[in-house]
Amino acid sequence: MKVLILGVNGFIGHHLTARILKETDWKIYGMDLSAERLGKLADHPRFDFVEGDISINKEWIEYHIKKADVILPLVAIATPKVYVERPLSVFELDFEENLRIVRQVHRYGKRIVFPSTSEVYGMCGDKEFDEENSPLVLGPIAKERWIYSCCKQMLDRVIWAYGRQGLAFTLFRPFNWIGPRLDSIETAKEGSSRVVTQFIADLYLGKPIQVVDGGEQRRCFTYVDDGIAGLMKVLANKNGCANGGIFNIGNPANDHSVRELAEMLRELYAKHPRNRGKKVPPIIEVNSKQFYGEGYQDIQTRTPSIRRAKEILGWEPKVSMKTALKKTLDAFLAEADASRAGK
Ligand code: UGA
């Protein structure tokens, strides 16, 4: 099988590339702005990497859509701070650039595996979010935070509609995937990383962990190896099981409040060999208006139903919260120390 991955150096892209090259005989074509996270993988004989921008290198993309069997357009802005600060960049990249790709995949009769998101459910009140029944609940227009959710939801609907005209597709919805190289220390310095990397970077930089609006809001954290295992099942598509389906890929057992997350990471960091004995920064509370700006609104609970993923794909997550955080922390600290030593 030939797989085209756009955004191949991203968090999901580079973990997926490593798994495909290790476990299958598939060929990968990949594009991204850089190959930093990919490292040595970029030289693998079954991997054609090209440095490029999806909004510029359009001919390369169209040519490779024709060559590939399955296309994963993973390029997107996916950090809430940017949704609020630059909503039009989210629309242009996440929606417009991806729409062009969806249309080409349909035109050339190929299969698309599209990253939807847990965010499409928004402030849904269901105890468990169900792909086929839960309502998708967004806030008012002035709350720019929802532009990402709205762009992804619209693409889900467009892909679904093309599906009725013959497009082969699967939508998968990651629920707070975490792991090595989720976000860099550089984005964390600007305060625009996703929460796990933000808290780890704060500890590393000796700054207080900032818990937004009391920290009672909850997320289900999914270790990236589990998430990638689910995505591999989607790609392998045994007997066409994933065709035309939507799958939540999340870990309902790792359901924690943001405050609990802060406490767990603080404790792990305090005990970590590189830190033992030193003072650990405190946890402080901040207001979301100060932290993100007026356009922010939060999601209080977000638990996936994984019934479909279990029954149809034969997938379920295995990695506990403690192991997931430990591995993420270890990788972050090793990388931060190495880059500091290199400077
Ligand atoms: C994320 C992002 O939208 C996407 O990465 C993705 O599509 C999706 O959810 C997902 O990964 O499933 P969210 O979970 O709100 O959204 O993003 P985080 O930035 O990781 O924030 C999680 C929670 O931590 C929020 O309630 C936020 O207010 C809080 N937070 C964040 C803090 O309390 N302090 C911080 O320093 C950062």
Side-chain angles (χ1 to χ4, degrees):
M1 185 158 78
K2 297 197 266 314
V3 185
L4 171 60
I5 306 178
L6 303 168
V8 73
N9 182 56
F11 173 56
I12 296 179
H14 85 286
H15 280 286
L16 177 64
T17 298
R19 184 78 68 99
I20 290 177
L21 294 175
K22 188 165 169 233
E23 291 182 358
T24 72
D25 60 359
W26 306 343
K27 161 107 191 157
I28 303 177
Y29 305 115
M31 176 182 277
D32 212 317
L33 297 170
S34 87
E36 215 180 353
R37 285 182 172 112
L38 289 161
K40 283 196 208 103
L41 288 176
D43 304 322
H44 194 285
R46 271 187 291 114
F47 181 29
D48 281 356
F49 173 77
V50 63
E51 204 172 285
D53 181 330
I54 64 160
S55 59
I56 297 169
N57 304 94
K58 297 178 186 169
E59 278 178 25
W60 185 94
I61 293 176
E62 188 164 0
Y63 177 70
H64 285 83
I65 289 175
K66 286 191 247 179
K67 273 177 87 161
D69 301 300
V70 57
I71 291 89
L72 280 120
L74 301 180
V75 175
I77 292 168
T79 43
K81 193 147 194 175
V82 185
Y83 313 158
V84 177
E85 286 174 358
R86 293 193 286 120
L88 285 177
S89 303
V90 175
F91 171 70
E92 287 157 10
L93 185 67
D94 296 20
F95 184 78
E96 291 191 304
E97 294 301 332
N98 280 287
L99 177 61
R100 184 167 40 77
I101 287 154
V102 171
R103 286 186 161 141
Q104 287 176 355
V105 176
H106 176 237
R107 184 176 320 138
Y108 297 117
K110 301 303 170 100
R111 174 173 181 233
I112 192 163
V113 171
F114 187 75
S116 178
T117 168
S118 65
E119 289 255 329
V120 293
Y121 297 103
M123 297 177 289
C124 175
D126 291 357
K127 249 179 96 187
E128 284 192 338
F129 297 170
D130 177 286
E131 301 92 330
E132 294 180 327
N133 295 296
S134 286
L136 312 178
V137 184
L138 305 191
I141 300 302
K143 298 293 178 191
E144 285 112 338
R145 189 253 162 77
W146 302 113
I147 198 159
Y148 171 76
S149 172
C150 188
C151 287
K152 287 281 190 179
Q153 184 190 146
M154 190 62 188
L155 281 171
D156 286 2
R157 293 187 188 279
V158 167
I159 290 169
W160 185 273
Y162 275 120
R164 295 184 60 172
Q165 293 183 12
L167 174 67
F169 76 91
T170 306
L171 306 177
F172 69 99
R173 295 189 172 150
F175 276 65
N176 289 82
W177 290 14
I178 59 171
R181 299 170 298 280
L182 170 60
D183 297 297
S184 75
I185 191 163
E186 298 311 319
T187 53
K189 278 182 189 159
E190 295 156 17
S192 68
S193 277
R194 281 159 287 195
V195 68
V196 169
T197 337
Q198 190 61 51
F199 285 176
I200 295 175
D202 291 341
L203 290 164
Y204 181 78
L205 298 168
K207 297 201 307 203
I209 293 183
Q210 301 186 71
V211 163
V212 170
D213 290 342
E216 292 308 310
Q217 62 277 39
R218 304 182 76 82
R219 296 291 187 273
C220 290
F221 298 93
T222 311
Y223 192 59
V224 66
D225 288 358
D226 277 339
I228 296 293
L231 185 48
M232 290 298 284
K233 297 262 190 193
V234 167
L235 283 172
N237 198 19
K238 203 170 166 195
N239 303 322
C241 66
N243 284 345
I246 309 178
F247 297 95
N248 291 337
I249 306 287
N251 191 340
N254 292 349
D255 186 345
H256 292 278
S257 73
V258 166
R259 179 169 288 277
E260 285 163 5
L261 172 73
E263 283 161 0
M264 284 186 273
L265 281 172
R266 198 167 172 269
E267 206 182 306
L268 278 175
Y269 190 72
K271 285 194 209 139
H272 200 277
R274 84 174 286 286
N275 188 66
R276 202 169 282 155
K278 283 193 227 141
K279 222 174 147 233
V280 179
I283 298 171
I284 59 166
E285 285 192 18
V286 291
N287 179 306
S288 59
K289 281 203 180 74
Q290 284 166 277
F291 192 84
Y292 289 107
E294 290 285 341
Y296 186 73
Q297 205 167 15
D298 214 328
I299 292 144
Q300 293 309 311
T301 61
R302 181 198 269 172
T303 309
S305 157
I306 52 168
R307 184 189 54 82
R308 283 178 50 79
K310 271 188 194 168
E311 290 177 9
I312 301 172
L313 302 176
W315 170 84
E316 59 185 316
K318 298 190 178 81
V319 183
S320 71
M321 186 69 172
K322 202 166 167 203
T323 306
L325 290 183
K326 201 175 165 321
K327 287 187 168 185
T328 308
L329 178 71
D330 285 349
F332 186 95
L333 295 180
E335 203 177 315
D337 282 346
S339 94
R340 188 179 266 185
K343 272 178 190 159

